């Protein structure tokens, strides 16, 4: 499997603008610039896209881990924060909340740790990758 995206940039680093496109059309002329990366400009930026990719990949891997032990999550919500310092992405922090009937907190922690270490985006990143996990209890999952 191969996936791709294109970037088109015009101008200098601080005054220029760019557009991102993907064959799926999810990103179609998505604007990015110095202001969207380092200030509050309208558009996206590479770090935001890395965070979205990491959150999405981790959530899917966690769902696959649960499926492997015969459980189906009602929901998995993941937030990823990527930190850029001195021109380098230095960390990625995942916060996950899930509703999964019949899953113990101990099992959840193990599955989260495996997903954090083994989702393809985590493997791609050579930075410190950390996570926090919260298993939400429901009436049927408390039994």
């Amino acid at each position: 499997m191969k996936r791709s995206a294109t970037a088109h940039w015009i101008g200098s680093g601080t005054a220029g603008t760019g557009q991102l496109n993907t064959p799926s059309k999810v990103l179609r002329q998505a604007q990015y610039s110095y202001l969207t990366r380092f200030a509050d400009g309208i558009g996206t930026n590479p770090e935001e896209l890395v965070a979205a990719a990491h959150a999405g990949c981790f959530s899917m891997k966690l769902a696959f881990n649960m499926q492997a032990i015969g459980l189906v999550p009602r929901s998995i919500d993941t937030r990823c924060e990527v930190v850029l310092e001195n021109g380098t992405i230095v960390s990625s922090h995942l916060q996950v909340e899930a509703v999964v009937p019949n899953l113990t907190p101990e099992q959840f922690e193990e599955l989260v740790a495996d997903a954090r270490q083994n989702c393809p985006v985590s493997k791609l990143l050579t930075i410190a990758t950390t996570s926090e996990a919260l298993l939400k209890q429901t009436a049927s999952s408390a039994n």
Side-chain angles (χ1 to χ4, degrees), residues 5-8 18-22 27-32 44-46 49:
T6 60
H8 178 72
Q19 294 178 341
L20 300 169
N21 293 283
T22 57
L27 294 178
R28 180 183 250 166
Q29 299 181 350
Q31 177 183 331
Y32 75 110
T44 190
N45 59 70
L49 296 171

Side-chain angles (χ1 to χ4, degrees), residues 4-10 17-34 36-37 42-52:
S4 65
T6 60
H8 178 72
W9 187 265
I10 299 171
T17 61
Q19 294 178 341
L20 300 169
N21 293 283
T22 57
S24 67
K25 307 289 186 216
V26 169
L27 294 178
R28 180 183 250 166
Q29 299 181 350
Q31 177 183 331
Y32 75 110
S33 67
Y34 178 86
T36 64
R37 193 169 193 185
I42 296 171
T44 190
N45 59 70
E47 293 73 29
E48 181 178 70
L49 296 171
V50 169

Side-chain angles (χ1 to χ4, degrees), residues 11-117:
S12 69
T14 55
T17 61
Q19 294 178 341
L20 300 169
N21 293 283
T22 57
S24 67
K25 307 289 186 216
V26 169
L27 294 178
R28 180 183 250 166
Q29 299 181 350
Q31 177 183 331
Y32 75 110
S33 67
Y34 178 86
L35 291 178
T36 64
R37 193 169 193 185
F38 300 108
D40 291 324
I42 296 171
T44 190
N45 59 70
E47 293 73 29
E48 181 178 70
L49 296 171
V50 169
H54 201 189
C57 183
F58 170 85
S59 294
M60 256 184 123
K61 177 62 176 161
L62 185 56
F64 279 120
N65 287 352
M66 291 173 185
Q67 180 179 327
I69 63 169
L71 298 176
V72 177
R74 287 195 184 144
S75 65
I76 298 172
D77 295 295
T78 304
R79 179 182 187 278
C80 180
E81 180 179 77
V82 169
V83 176
L84 179 72
E85 290 179 356
N86 300 316
T88 301
I89 295 175
V90 296
S91 67
S92 179
H93 180 72
L94 300 158
Q95 293 176 289
V96 60
E97 293 184 4
V99 177
V100 189
N102 305 313
L103 183 66
T104 68
E106 295 79 20
Q107 288 173 307
F108 185 57
E109 288 294 332
E110 288 176 22
L111 298 175
V112 166
D114 180 80
R116 184 183 67 245
Q117 293 170 357

